[in-house]
Amino acid sequence: MATKENFELFGSLQALKVDQFDATLFSNRSICWLRLGDGKKALYDAMECKNLRPKWAKAYYRKGAALMFLKVQQQQSLANSIVPCTCCMI
């Protein structure tokens, strides 16, 4: 299915083939991964962005967004795995 995020990700992947040292491309791809639900890849790209431009605030924003996504995802996974005890239910 063709979505805007898929086109953005495809464009970013193609651009990274040309310039692997452009922090903006890693930043944009990071948000694409987040929108597609892949927090680990989003965090990796955010870290690459931060390494390329350590004084750029958006790099830290992308890293924080990816970490928050992973934290929420972990909490949801944990909440789904907890089975309530039936002895306390009245």
Side-chain angles (χ1 to χ4, degrees):
M1 177 179 207
T3 64
K4 183 180 178 187
E5 287 83 14
N6 289 345
F7 284 120
E8 289 174 1
L9 182 59
F10 177 76
S12 184
L13 290 170
Q14 295 303 313
L16 281 170
K17 288 181 181 178
V18 176
D19 187 1
Q20 296 178 0
F21 301 103
D22 187 351
T24 304
L25 297 175
F26 282 101
S27 173
N28 290 343
R29 191 170 72 171
S30 177
I31 194 67
C32 288
W33 286 125
L34 271 183
R35 290 181 180 168
L36 291 171
D38 195 333
K40 289 181 182 180
K41 288 181 181 176
L43 180 59
Y44 174 80
D45 280 348
M47 295 295 290
E48 287 295 317
C49 177
K50 185 180 75 74
N51 291 338
L52 291 170
R53 287 182 65 185
K55 294 184 179 182
W56 192 31
K58 188 178 272 189
Y60 291 90
Y61 174 79
R62 294 286 192 241
K63 180 182 174 186
L67 288 171
M68 295 265 307
F69 179 85
L70 289 170
K71 181 179 178 182
V72 167
Q73 196 176 36
Q74 181 184 28
Q75 288 173 344
Q76 289 174 344
S77 176
L78 183 63
N80 290 337
S81 67
I82 296 174
V83 178
C85 78
T86 55
C87 64
C88 300
M89 295 181 171
I90 297 176

